[in-house]
Amino acid sequence: MSIFRKMAGAVVVLCLLPIAAALAASIVAYAAGCQYDIGMPLACVVGGSDIGSLVQVLGTFSYGTFFSVPLLILTVTVWLVAELVHLLRRAGSPPPVRKPRSLA
């Protein structure tokens, strides 16, 4: 079950990356006082260098949400069902029998 939890957690994190990239692009553009458009890079000068193309590329990752959000919903649903089955199996089984220690 531990390997399943790690794999499901990794899939959840990977599914959230496009959302985080688009959010980062919006925050960077807002903080720099620039316009934000995922269709074309706009001039955005910060510290003497133009980061407009970087903001545009980060914003383009938002298209990945069309694939990652359904995968995220499916992964979380399967994860919850697996955890529920695991919990019900543990609740239905008798506790393990411990052997008494010998005093000798």
Side-chain angles (χ1 to χ4, degrees):
M1 193 69 176
S2 176
I3 294 173
F4 177 75
R5 287 181 183 144
K6 289 178 184 176
M7 288 178 59
V11 170
V12 167
V13 169
L14 287 174
C15 288
L16 292 176
L17 283 179
I19 298 169
L23 186 62
S26 295
I27 290 172
V28 168
Y30 180 75
C34 302
Q35 292 181 348
Y36 170 63
D37 185 14
I38 60 173
M40 64 180 155
L42 300 173
C44 182
V45 179
V46 176
S49 62
D50 183 22
I51 63 165
S53 60
L54 173 68
V55 171
Q56 189 259 341
V57 167
L58 282 175
T60 305
F61 283 135
S62 66
Y63 288 127
T65 58
F66 294 120
F67 304 107
S68 66
V69 170
L71 181 62
L72 176 67
I73 292 169
L74 178 68
T75 302
V76 170
T77 304
V78 169
W79 192 357
L80 288 175
V81 168
E83 290 290 339
L84 184 63
V85 167
H86 181 69
L87 181 69
L88 291 175
R89 282 188 179 178
R90 282 185 57 194
S93 65
V97 178
R98 295 185 181 159
K99 295 180 182 177
R101 286 198 246 170
S102 63
L103 299 174

